[in-house]
Amino acid sequence: VRPRAIVDALSPAPEEPPASFWSELAATDELTEHFAAIEPPPGLRQRLRRAILVAQSRSWWMVPSAGLTGRDFVSETESTVNRELAKISFIGKSEIVLTSRRAPIQLVLSNETGYPITLGVDLYSEKLEVEDTSFNRSFSPGTRTIELDAVAQTSGTFPLSALIVTPEAGEERHAIDSIQIQVRSTEFNVIALGITVGALIFLVVYYSIRALKHYERNRAAGPAAS
């Protein structure tokens, strides 16, 4: 009896795609799952997932008669998802002016997919407190204004970063679009101006009274001196 040896790994089949194909397949599969999280129409989700499954089938690795391979299914799936995600974006002004310390800020989100979707929005600013820095909402087709209460921590101009993401939890959220808005807060400058003007008025009144008193003393001392 010939001794049997355990084979650590089988040699790849001659028609098996290269390792890069499996990496592309895994990345596209992950992207498709992110896209499914925004709740597109069921038919679209099923079609994309079916293409991922078909791409893994040995029968589609190479089909010379049809001129198709598994990579074709992967590429088309990736392109479809990216086209849909490109229809979601922030629009509108890139600058916001706050004339009071507490004021509402507005973001405008555009959904051109043609169907309702669920999205996440993440906000970050070191000098602006926003009522909710991370939330999920449903968005119908068209444009939608998001209004949030904000409190400026200082005067001047500083950035507010806004990010549209898929609505999964934590680090699983996938970035779709982003915008950086310049926030210009004038409230503290107005207060500082008021303080400065008040101090100036005080000095004018103070020195006017001193000058008046000095004048009255000199006037009173005039006849006595003569």
Side-chain angles (χ1 to χ4, degrees):
V1 180
R2 295 178 58 185
R4 297 182 178 180
I6 297 176
V7 178
D8 294 331
L10 293 174
S11 299
E15 71 277 10
E16 182 176 345
S20 60
F21 165 77
W22 300 110
S23 298
E24 294 170 13
L25 176 64
T28 302
D29 186 27
E30 182 178 0
L31 179 63
T32 302
E33 290 303 310
H34 285 308
F35 178 63
I38 73 172
E39 300 179 355
L44 177 56
R45 277 181 281 173
Q46 292 171 6
R47 179 164 61 86
L48 294 171
R49 284 171 171 159
R50 188 180 300 115
I52 292 293
L53 293 174
V54 170
Q56 300 175 65
S57 171
R58 180 186 293 267
S59 61
W60 287 100
W61 284 353
M62 296 186 71
V63 186
S65 59
L68 296 173
T69 66
R71 179 169 269 131
D72 294 319
F73 287 94
V74 173
S75 298
E76 179 57 30
T77 301
E78 180 184 16
S79 297
T80 299
V81 172
N82 285 330
R83 280 197 304 268
E84 293 300 296
L85 293 180
K87 298 174 183 177
I88 305 166
S89 63
F90 281 122
I91 60 175
K93 297 179 180 179
S94 59
E95 181 180 82
I96 297 174
V97 178
L98 300 181
T99 56
S100 60
R101 185 167 181 264
R102 180 184 294 274
I105 60 171
Q106 293 184 340
L107 302 173
V108 182
L109 188 146
S110 173
N111 170 20
E112 298 181 353
T113 61
Y115 46 82
I117 52 179
T118 300
L119 299 172
V121 176
D122 290 343
L123 304 172
Y124 175 76
S125 177
E126 292 183 346
K127 298 181 180 180
L128 187 72
E129 285 188 3
V130 184
E131 63 173 295
D132 198 350
T133 58
S134 183
F135 55 88
N136 295 339
R137 290 188 185 177
S138 296
F139 294 88
S140 301
T143 59
R144 167 92 173 268
T145 299
I146 306 169
E147 186 169 292
L148 301 166
D149 287 334
V151 179
Q153 301 301 301
T154 183
S155 62
T157 302
F158 45 87
L160 167 66
S161 297
L163 194 67
I164 302 174
V165 294
T166 53
E168 298 104 322
E171 297 181 356
E172 295 181 3
R173 294 157 83 89
H174 176 76
I176 298 175
D177 189 39
S178 64
I179 188 174
Q180 187 170 83
I181 300 170
Q182 294 301 314
V183 179
R184 188 158 57 89
S185 175
T186 61
E187 169 66 10
F188 292 89
N189 292 335
V190 171
I191 293 175
L193 178 61
I195 293 173
T196 302
V197 171
L200 179 60
I201 293 174
F202 171 80
L203 291 175
V204 170
V205 172
Y206 174 76
Y207 283 107
S208 296
I209 292 174
R210 283 194 60 184
L212 181 60
K213 288 182 178 179
H214 180 71
Y215 170 76
E216 290 178 347
R217 283 198 300 268
N218 289 341
R219 184 177 180 185
S226 60

